Amino acid sequence: MCGIIGILGNTPAVPRMMEALKRLEYRGYDSAGVATVEDGTLGRRRAPGKLANLEATLKADPLGGMAGIGHTRWATHGSPTEANAHPHMTGRVAIVHNGIIENFRPLKDELLKAGVTFEGETDTEVVARLLTRYLDEGLAPRDAFHKTLSRLEGAFALCVLIAGEDDLMFGAREGSPLVVGLGDGENYLGSDAMALAGLSSKLIYLEEGDWAELSRESVQVYDAAGAPVKRPVTLSQVAATMVDKGNYRHFMQKEIFEQPTVVAQTLGRYLDPNSGTVTLPDMPFDLAGVNKVTLVACGTSYYAALVARYWIEKIARVPVEVDIASEFRYRAPVYQKDGLAIFISQSGETADTLAALRHAKAAGQHIAVLVNVMGSTMAREADVALPIYAGPEVGVASTKAFTCQLAVLAAFAIKLGAAHGLVDAAQEAAYIAELEQTPKLMAQVLHADGKMADIARQIAPARDILFVGRGIQFPIAMEGALKLKEISYIHAEGYAAGELKHGPIALIDETVPVIGLAPNDGLIDKTMSNLQEIMARGGRVVLISDNAEDEEGLLDRFPMPSAGELVAPILYAIPVQLLAYYTAVEKGTDVDQPRNLAKSVTVE
Ligand code: F6R
């Protein structure tokens, strides 16, 4: 969602901030702005829409200064207009803000009564006016900022410049991440490591309630009470080159094609083919005692959880419950003593998943997370974090994070089965040998991408598309439908193939293509019968299968290599990703930043 950059530098801030804001585009946004302080005076430029609009504004009306704050805004309250874009300014302060100030109405009423006037309706302006009031009352900037923070309720990250202060910047974190970057005679603030890639690799992740005072030569972090605290300096894993499309046309395409490499890396961290064993990070609880697993996530990560349910129940015979995070805590979930709750989140910041995590933690469950960002809030609040090692995922539609999540979940299922005495050494080694084939088979599937581009051309004119699969392919069908609707804007749904005749088959005619996922497993005959039922009603079926038999009457087929049940869902994720990608390219949509979507969804 919204992105923040703050630079206290020694060269003009605007071009560097624009670079950083470009790196933050992946989070999704609909307006942007920058402010600087130059010779004590604050200046600001903002524009609705893409960064190109802000660039045009800056070209027509340049902004100097070596200290600046910048923001990409994903509208929550208030439309994406220039007036609502950040930074928000009074004569004395400029502020960018992620998140929501929940008590902004009473604060605004208080300020109105005191004679303060407002330009707009936003909660951010209330923060700017409050800080200005405390400065006007004569408080020193540090005290004024701390007093302002002490009045705010909600989840937010803030970055602030003050008029007359060319060597001062404040940042604060409460529920929304903020990172300090340490430079040489310069310092920075960013909403994530990606914002700071290319500026600094030495990062301080602020903790909940922390705030920071930056000059070019120093950084002091304070806790919520205002006491100076030391937070560890971590080395960023995000190099500026990782945030580069290379030879690919889109980040999503690059990330789809990276999958054999990143999945191999992930498997390499969790599997030891020499000893034939799975290694997980140290668990602060006994896996053998885990008698129930609760999996909670949103979107694509939720579909990874659905796949994991098949594996865990089959391999470890432990009951599994799977929930969408935004629903989880509203249905009085029944926890069991010694239950393990696993939260799956690429970003580690998704608000609904984080709230569900806190719910399960308060109920005394063991808490594990699967995250791609080890400095994330979820990683820090969990009992144990299992990194997925996908590397930065820039395309808004998740691809490589999904297959890396699956790789880690497969390893986890094996380990849980071993801990429960259901997977002996020979079986564990056999599972590992099976998983070790994954990268090679993924590369084989990607090699046929030209075929998927052909299929995409055939289905692109459709208004509705169905994806069907059975068993472990059912979640992949839903993932395929989600990918397609996200980036091509074609309405798509994923169904269990056997469920179609209970209603959705009424939709079938020659205008609704159906994508059938049918690996040659124990369910293929049933899936093929369901596809026949569709074709008998004039439906046009694209078959994705390793079944060599030539089915009559298909619209097209995409051949797959054969694979076992641990590898098949990972493999079948690729053709549905490719189909979504090429369909979106065919339709000319914005593949990496689809409309209305944000990468890291930090509002509930
Ligand atoms: C879809 C997609 C989203 C995310 C969801 C959860 O392509 O990317 O559905 O999977 O917003 O995000 P994380 O995994 O960061 O919690």
Side-chain angles (χ1 to χ4, degrees), residues 175-195:
S176 193
L178 196 69
V179 188
V180 179
L182 305 176
D184 194 7
E186 301 193 331
N187 287 308
Y188 321 95
L189 286 168
S191 44
D192 65 13
M194 200 83 98

Side-chain angles (χ1 to χ4, degrees), residues 298-301 344-348 350 353 396-398 405 482-483 486 599 601:
C298 299
T300 290
S301 299
I344 307 173
S345 175
Q346 186 278 130
S347 60
T350 301
T353 313
V396 162
S398 186
Q405 285 167 347
L482 177 64
K483 281 296 83 99
E486 275 184 295
K599 183 74 183 160
V601 183

Side-chain angles (χ1 to χ4, degrees), residues 2 82 94 96 145 184 236 356 401 404 408 437 445 516:
C2 310
E82 180 179 340
V96 294
F145 187 61
D184 194 7
S236 170
C404 288
V408 176
Q437 300 301 313
V445 177

Side-chain angles (χ1 to χ4, degrees), residues 296-380:
V296 185
C298 299
T300 290
S301 299
Y302 168 70
Y303 298 135
L306 287 177
V307 172
R309 174 166 68 186
Y310 285 84
W311 286 332
I312 295 171
E313 289 182 345
K314 191 160 181 184
I315 297 171
R317 304 299 299 141
V318 173
V320 179
E321 214 173 334
V322 187
D323 253 287
I324 292 173
S326 56
E327 291 295 322
F328 180 66
R329 62 195 198 288
Y330 301 113
R331 64 165 182 84
V334 180
Y335 293 113
Q336 278 184 25
K337 188 175 172 298
D338 289 324
L340 168 63
I342 305 180
F343 300 85
I344 307 173
S345 175
Q346 186 278 130
S347 60
E349 301 293 348
T350 301
D352 284 315
T353 313
L354 181 59
L357 182 158
R358 289 174 178 161
H359 189 278
K361 197 170 178 175
Q365 297 290 282
H366 303 305
I367 306 292
V369 292
L370 257 75
V371 290
N372 200 21
V373 183
M374 278 307 273
S376 61
T377 310
M378 282 184 222
R380 284 186 287 131

Side-chain angles (χ1 to χ4, degrees), residues 142 210-211 220-231:
R142 182 191 307 153
D210 279 358
W211 53 285
Q220 179 61 59
V221 181
Y222 300 91
D223 66 13
V229 284
K230 273 209 172 311
R231 302 292 182 216

Side-chain angles (χ1 to χ4, degrees), residues 49-354:
K50 294 288 179 194
L51 284 177
N53 298 348
L54 180 60
E55 262 168 345
T57 306
L58 283 160
K59 198 164 175 212
D61 192 5
L63 193 60
M66 301 196 189
I69 56 178
H71 194 258
T72 47
R73 172 174 186 255
W74 190 83
T76 47
H77 301 278
S79 50
T81 56
E82 180 179 340
N84 285 333
H86 297 207
H88 283 273
M89 266 177 41
T90 65
R92 297 202 69 173
V93 304
I95 288 190
V96 294
H97 161 218
N98 288 354
I100 294 167
I101 308 296
E102 281 163 6
N103 62 335
F104 84 97
R105 282 183 205 286
L107 289 175
K108 186 168 179 176
D109 289 346
E110 175 188 319
L111 289 167
L112 284 169
K113 272 194 205 121
V116 174
T117 50
F118 282 78
E119 279 170 9
E121 297 297 321
T122 66
D123 53 348
T124 311
E125 187 182 349
V126 174
V127 183
R129 301 267 168 217
L130 192 62
L131 176 57
T132 300
R133 181 166 173 225
Y134 292 140
L135 289 168
D136 287 347
E137 284 173 4
L139 288 183
R142 182 191 307 153
D143 299 330
F145 187 61
H146 184 215
K147 188 163 178 188
T148 303
L149 291 177
S150 70
R151 304 289 317 278
L152 305 181
E153 288 165 21
F156 52 82
L158 293 168
C159 186
V160 173
L161 284 178
I162 296 181
E165 304 282 352
D166 284 47
D167 190 25
L168 180 66
M169 186 178 289
F170 288 112
R173 176 208 166 116
E174 179 67 56
S176 193
L178 196 69
V179 188
V180 179
L182 305 176
D184 194 7
E186 301 193 331
N187 287 308
Y188 321 95
L189 286 168
S191 44
D192 65 13
M194 200 83 98
L196 301 176
L199 288 171
S200 171
S201 56
K202 281 192 264 169
L203 307 182
I204 298 174
Y205 285 90
L206 295 186
E207 296 187 5
E208 290 300 338
D210 279 358
W211 53 285
E213 180 178 12
L214 278 67
S215 71
R216 285 177 178 76
E217 292 295 340
S218 69
V219 171
Q220 179 61 59
V221 181
Y222 300 91
D223 66 13
V229 284
K230 273 209 172 311
R231 302 292 182 216
V233 177
T234 55
L235 272 186
S236 170
Q237 304 298 320
V238 185
T241 49
M242 287 178 174
V243 198
D244 192 280
K245 285 202 275 276
N247 292 330
Y248 291 95
R249 186 163 161 201
H250 298 101
F251 280 109
M252 182 181 178
Q253 185 189 23
K254 175 179 173 233
E255 287 157 6
I256 290 173
F257 280 84
E258 268 173 10
Q259 290 178 107
T261 310
V262 290
V263 167
Q265 276 164 13
T266 307
L267 290 173
R269 301 284 191 137
Y270 285 91
L271 310 182
D272 181 353
N274 295 326
S275 63
T277 51
V278 172
T279 318
L280 298 182
D282 284 343
M283 299 271 162
F285 48 85
D286 184 10
L287 270 185
V290 168
N291 52 15
K292 180 180 171 190
V293 174
T294 304
L295 293 164
V296 185
C298 299
T300 290
S301 299
Y302 168 70
Y303 298 135
L306 287 177
V307 172
R309 174 166 68 186
Y310 285 84
W311 286 332
I312 295 171
E313 289 182 345
K314 191 160 181 184
I315 297 171
R317 304 299 299 141
V318 173
V320 179
E321 214 173 334
V322 187
D323 253 287
I324 292 173
S326 56
E327 291 295 322
F328 180 66
R329 62 195 198 288
Y330 301 113
R331 64 165 182 84
V334 180
Y335 293 113
Q336 278 184 25
K337 188 175 172 298
D338 289 324
L340 168 63
I342 305 180
F343 300 85
I344 307 173
S345 175
Q346 186 278 130
S347 60
E349 301 293 348
T350 301
D352 284 315
T353 313
L354 181 59

